[in-house]
Amino acid sequence: MRTAVALLVVVCAQRASGEEACAADFPSVDISPFLVPDDSPLASARDATAAAWDHAMREWGFARVTGDGVPPDAFAPFRAAALDFFDEPLERKRAYSDPSGRYGPEGYTSLGVESVGRTSAGALGGEGAGAQPDLVENVALRGRPPASIDDLASRPRFPPTLFPSAGEHWAAMDMLHGAILRMTARALGVPDELFEGAYRGTQANALRLAHYPAVPGGVDSLPAGQARYGAHTDYQVCPVCVSVRRRPPLPHPTPRCPQPPLPP
């Protein structure tokens, strides 16, 4: 069984008591005004869109995104190539690992190395310092993916089977990423290009593929403190999730929706 990593999809489900876990007014934000040229009539809606985004983040902490401009099948080729890579024997995958063996540089990181729990608030000397390694393997692609076969040759840690679908996926996510950064800046009352400009032409952006292999006996069989992906502190602007399974991914609990369960 493979767990797919996810465009901000949230579920309004039922608690065990039958009480609705998420209110019917769960926020949905159409971000298309930030994906059109400045001279488009639709651009006049940017202030209203930014205000809706601001309200959603302040009141809920998450939102359903629409008008994202990403084709429904945009993820399929890259996802297929990634799953094929993770199905390879371990030694073949390790050929693309950084010599340090740690997570961070471009390349493959094997199961049991990364521990995001150690990034949690107060982790240094606190509870997070001894967090167990996560049951995840991943490939980190630093900066924009190779644009050609010649470019690919200069990236020895970049699995060639991910070319060219990684570039196509990157282009779709780069467009979405820019729109969210511009919208967030507008919501905060700062120049639209403030955050987006900080990422252009740098290695700050990365494409990361995380694969969670099946756990024999199920997750309930894991020892105490062991997790697929531990509780952690995110330093990015906003995690963006897309459901590629029949059931949407579970959102993080917030004060407005403290225990949103998965629907049947």
Side-chain angles (χ1 to χ4, degrees):
M1 177 179 179
R2 292 156 169 165
T3 301
V5 179
L7 214 15
L8 294 167
V9 177
V10 174
V11 189
C12 283
Q14 301 292 320
R15 294 186 185 177
S17 64
E19 179 185 354
E20 195 173 73
C22 298
D25 60 346
F26 177 81
S28 180
V29 181
D30 181 351
I31 69 170
S32 57
F34 285 92
L35 288 165
V36 298
D38 293 342
D39 58 358
S40 168
L42 189 57
S44 64
R46 287 176 181 171
D47 284 345
T49 299
W53 183 250
D54 181 66
H55 174 78
M57 295 301 109
R58 290 179 186 273
E59 296 297 320
W60 291 82
F62 45 77
R64 178 183 293 109
V65 167
T66 63
D68 52 85
V70 179
D73 59 350
F75 305 101
F78 188 42
R79 180 172 182 268
L83 290 174
D84 285 345
F85 173 79
F86 287 119
D87 279 343
E88 294 279 357
L90 179 60
E91 288 308 309
R92 194 172 299 177
K93 291 184 287 189
R94 280 180 171 168
Y96 300 100
S97 295
D98 185 81
S100 69
R102 64 183 179 87
Y103 169 74
E106 179 163 272
Y108 173 75
T109 303
S110 57
L111 197 70
V113 173
E114 188 181 10
S115 179
V116 294
R118 295 171 190 167
T119 70
S120 61
L124 296 177
E127 293 182 3
Q132 294 292 320
D134 302 314
L135 299 181
V136 60
E137 57 179 342
N138 59 72
V139 175
L141 310 177
R142 293 293 171 184
R144 189 174 294 275
S148 66
I149 292 295
D150 291 340
D151 190 14
L152 179 64
S154 67
R155 306 273 290 273
R157 307 298 176 201
F158 188 102
T161 54
L162 301 182
F163 177 85
S165 59
E168 297 161 357
H169 181 92
W170 178 284
M173 292 298 96
D174 194 41
M175 175 182 67
L176 179 60
H177 178 239
I180 290 176
L181 291 180
R182 294 190 296 274
M183 180 171 60
T184 300
R186 179 75 65 102
L188 293 172
V190 298
D192 288 2
E193 68 277 3
L194 179 66
F195 301 130
E196 187 179 21
Y199 285 91
R200 294 298 177 195
T202 74
Q203 295 293 308
N205 290 335
L207 185 59
R208 177 175 177 267
L209 308 175
H211 180 240
Y212 303 84
V215 175
V219 293
D220 291 339
S221 67
L222 295 176
Q226 182 74 70
R228 292 282 211 161
Y229 209 55
H232 60 284
T233 300
D234 267 325
Y235 300 101
Q236 298 88 352
V237 174
C238 182
V240 179
C241 304
V242 62
S243 175
V244 293
R245 297 185 299 167
R246 294 179 63 183
R247 290 198 312 189
L250 182 65
H252 292 292
T254 70
R256 286 288 294 271
C257 192
Q259 288 184 313
L262 280 172

